[in-house]
Amino acid sequence: MSYQVLARKWRPHTFDEVTGQAHVTTPLRNAIRSGRIPHAILLTGPRGTGKTTLARIFACCLNADGGPSDSPARDNPACLEIQSGSSTDVQEIDAASRTSVDDVREIIESIRYAAAPGKWRIFIVDEVHMLSTPAFNALLKTLEEPPPKSLFLFCTTNPEKIPFTVTSRCQRYDLRRIPTAEVTARLAEIAEAESVEVSRASLLEVARAGDGSLRDALTLLDQLIASGGGKVEDERVAELLDLIDRRVLHEIARACMAGESAEALTACRNAWQSGADARRLGAALLGVLRDLVVLQVAPQQNLVEAADDELQALRALSESAEPARLRRMFRALLREQEDLAWAPDPFAVLEMAVLRLASLPPGDQVETLLNRLDALEQQLQGAPPRGGAPSGGAKPAQRGARNTGGARSAAKRSSADTAGAGAGAANAAANTAANMAANSAPPPAATSPAPPPHAPTPPAATPPVPAQTPPAADAPLAEVFAQFCSFAQRENRGLFAALEGGSLLARGEGVLRIALPSELAVRRLEQRAREFDAVCARFFGEPLRTHFEWAGENAAQKPANNTARENAARENGEWKRRALDNPAVNDAAEIFGASIRDIRPLAPPGENP
């Protein structure tokens, strides 16, 4: 008798032998017990999870001698015929090779005849998504109203390719990837039955390589047994599966957590010399960092799949690590992992990523940054209001302090995940928080809270107090706009960036008309009109309404003979306007609260870079 591979030899013949699909076997067994047999069942799921196997078992349960029964005997003659494919009442059809309407017509003609000698006429259609659209349409009527005692069992790995008119006529069951622990346990049972000596660590690696497919795992185990005889060595498993030595991964993680850059690079080089691929090494290191974080958060929940020896090593490693630092290392490596697929030298990218992990600052430096933010908040709460406080209204410093909480919380979240927060980053974050607190304050013209009963009633509205001496009403518009841009740069850099290249068209009667060089700048400032009006009120000392206009709309009204000075200014500002019109540059400026200080082209204008 010819040799049978393990995947076929140990194929389940009853529902009890199916691994990891209890959510499917339970309703199928209940349907048999209660007699509520549907006329069409769709079994979907990843490869090697038991779709066709469950279809055969269900057919055996219905046509077994003395059935239907949800647990027929393995040596039942009808079941043996179905499992071997020789039954006349159960037909298996490969839709990948029979996709046409003519093939479906054969099924329609065959289903008209009653089962003999069985009880049900059953059609198992494997890879049903491969049928053509006309073939699906030809099957619809028969699928909706089949003859009595007829059953369709559809199996597929791509249910999204099946027309909805077909899936709506079927009971659908989705098979899942089998958990690694269950695959490992099943492999251990089969190895013991086959008298094969293999360690649990090797079985765990085989189960991981199977990626939730028991059939793939059994194929790998069969290959290992063939190469090692009756005993499977761990070294042979690592060589055949091209595994990365877990001890090397642990050494890289330990060196990165300890800040030992040289040791981390040496461990990476050892892994590379052993033949490890850079992308696979990065992915494996990412998995180790995940396991360390999980062991710190939930050490007793069995959420880490590893051999006993490796699990003990991971626990010891996780106890010596800082949780926040591990999470920042994970995020930093994840960002670098995305670049490995496109890098000309992937291993060099991985080495730089490992250096970055090893140079991440410890949590006490990040705590220093947070302490400085706390000190900044206290200063804002106790600072005197700029330009004096209006009577009956809240102090500007207090309004800023109330809004500082959101900025401080955002800074805390950002600093916890930032790879490289030092003293310079602390100063930048403190300055950014101060700007956010000042800019997020509501307009000074807001209604003040109600005074106590014994206090005199304040005026209905108090004019805002300017931050500096407002310009005269008859001052030249160009000079006013230049002063306002300088003020906006100090108050809100995001608004100042959008004002670059603009001009003040008119000022009077509580209205400002500003012309901007691009439609994008107009839309940006219109979306932030409330912030802009608040800055205008602080500069001019009175509430103003602003109208933004695109300078291109009035281009036809401009004189054709521009002066040489205007042409030179336009030429010098062209590069900055292009940058300001770029959505990516604008988004970056808003996110980081930055402004464009200088732009240098790759080549002089008019020349190819």
Side-chain angles (χ1 to χ4, degrees), residues 27 106 159 181 212 228 262 351 518 576:
E106 294 181 8
E351 286 181 321
S518 66
K576 183 169 290 188

Side-chain angles (χ1 to χ4, degrees), residues 195-558:
S195 302
V196 175
E197 184 179 349
V198 56
S199 66
R200 179 172 176 80
S202 295
L203 291 177
L204 180 60
E205 295 297 341
V206 173
R208 285 176 176 170
D211 192 22
S213 171
L214 182 56
R215 182 183 61 204
D216 292 358
L218 285 173
T219 301
L220 291 174
L221 180 61
D222 208 352
Q223 186 176 356
L224 290 170
I225 295 175
S227 62
K231 183 177 181 180
V232 179
E233 300 289 346
D234 293 345
E235 292 76 9
R236 184 60 178 168
V237 174
E239 179 182 356
L240 185 62
L241 300 182
D242 193 19
L243 300 177
I244 300 175
D245 191 351
R246 308 295 294 183
R247 292 171 296 182
V248 174
L249 294 175
H250 295 173
E251 177 60 24
I252 296 175
R254 185 206 62 78
C256 289
M257 289 186 296
E260 301 173 353
S261 303
E263 288 76 2
L265 286 180
T266 302
C268 283
R269 178 63 58 174
N270 294 336
W272 179 76
Q273 290 177 349
S274 64
D277 177 71
R279 186 172 180 84
R280 293 183 63 250
L281 179 59
L285 183 58
L286 203 64
V288 170
L289 293 178
R290 176 263 175 195
D291 292 343
L292 292 176
V293 174
V294 171
L295 285 176
Q296 285 187 337
V297 176
Q300 306 297 333
Q301 301 301 321
N302 297 325
L303 299 179
V304 175
E305 296 175 345
D308 295 339
D309 295 342
E310 182 184 0
L311 192 59
Q312 292 180 1
L314 287 174
R315 290 185 188 278
L317 198 58
S318 66
E319 292 174 356
S320 62
E322 181 186 1
R325 179 180 172 86
L326 282 177
R327 291 193 294 270
R328 285 186 286 132
M329 290 173 61
F330 183 90
R331 292 194 60 180
L333 182 60
L334 181 61
R335 295 191 190 99
E336 299 293 341
Q337 184 75 5
E338 298 174 354
D339 298 334
L340 290 179
W342 313 102
D345 188 357
F347 192 78
V349 175
L350 181 62
E351 286 181 321
M352 296 302 104
V354 170
L355 281 179
R356 184 181 180 186
L357 299 185
S359 60
L360 282 178
D364 53 357
Q365 295 187 16
V366 179
E367 186 64 27
T368 302
L369 172 62
L370 298 179
N371 291 335
R372 297 193 64 175
L373 290 176
D374 289 336
L376 172 64
E377 182 178 1
Q378 297 297 328
Q379 293 176 5
L380 290 175
Q381 290 177 351
R386 185 170 46 194
S391 61
K395 294 183 180 180
Q398 293 175 351
R399 291 195 299 266
R402 284 196 297 266
N403 289 281
T404 308
R408 180 170 171 270
S409 299
K412 284 185 177 181
R413 292 192 300 269
S414 175
S415 60
D417 297 327
T418 302
N427 292 329
N431 294 333
T432 302
N435 290 333
M436 293 175 62
N439 294 328
S440 59
T447 304
S448 60
H454 60 275
T457 304
T462 304
V465 178
Q468 61 182 26
T469 303
D474 57 349
L477 296 180
E479 181 180 346
V480 173
F481 189 74
Q483 295 178 7
F484 178 71
C485 288
S486 178
F487 179 79
Q489 184 178 15
R490 297 193 305 268
E491 294 290 310
N492 193 319
R493 293 183 179 181
L495 296 180
F496 168 74
L499 289 173
E500 283 290 312
S503 61
L504 182 60
L505 299 179
R507 169 196 174 195
E509 300 180 357
V511 177
L512 292 179
R513 289 180 55 214
I514 297 178
L516 299 174
S518 66
E519 289 184 285
L520 178 62
V522 173
R523 290 196 299 269
R524 285 185 59 201
L525 290 180
E526 286 178 347
Q527 293 174 355
R528 304 176 64 178
R530 185 174 180 180
E531 295 180 49
F532 192 85
D533 290 344
V535 175
C536 290
R538 291 197 295 272
F539 178 75
F540 291 100
E542 59 178 346
L544 296 172
R545 290 181 295 106
T546 310
H547 296 285
F548 304 104
E549 301 178 8
W550 175 35
E553 296 176 348
N554 301 322
Q557 304 174 5
K558 295 182 179 179

Side-chain angles (χ1 to χ4, degrees), residues 77-158:
C79 295
L80 294 177
E81 290 181 359
I82 294 173
Q83 295 290 349
S84 63
S86 60
S87 174
T88 57
D89 296 324
V90 179
Q91 298 183 17
E92 288 195 31
I93 301 167
D94 180 19
S97 58
R98 304 180 64 181
T99 63
S100 64
V101 177
D102 293 335
D103 298 319
V104 172
R105 286 198 186 103
E106 294 181 8
I107 299 176
I108 296 174
E109 292 295 331
S110 179
I111 203 172
R112 295 179 180 178
Y113 301 97
K119 304 174 181 62
W120 286 74
R121 188 74 166 156
I122 302 174
F123 295 88
I124 301 175
V125 185
D126 204 2
E127 301 299 333
V128 68
H129 65 275
M130 297 295 291
L131 289 178
S132 63
T133 300
F136 275 123
N137 293 335
L139 187 61
L140 285 180
K141 187 62 178 177
T142 304
L143 185 61
E144 184 174 9
E145 298 179 359
K149 300 292 184 178
S150 299
L151 174 62
F152 287 96
L153 291 168
F154 296 144
C155 306
T156 180
T157 54
N158 295 293

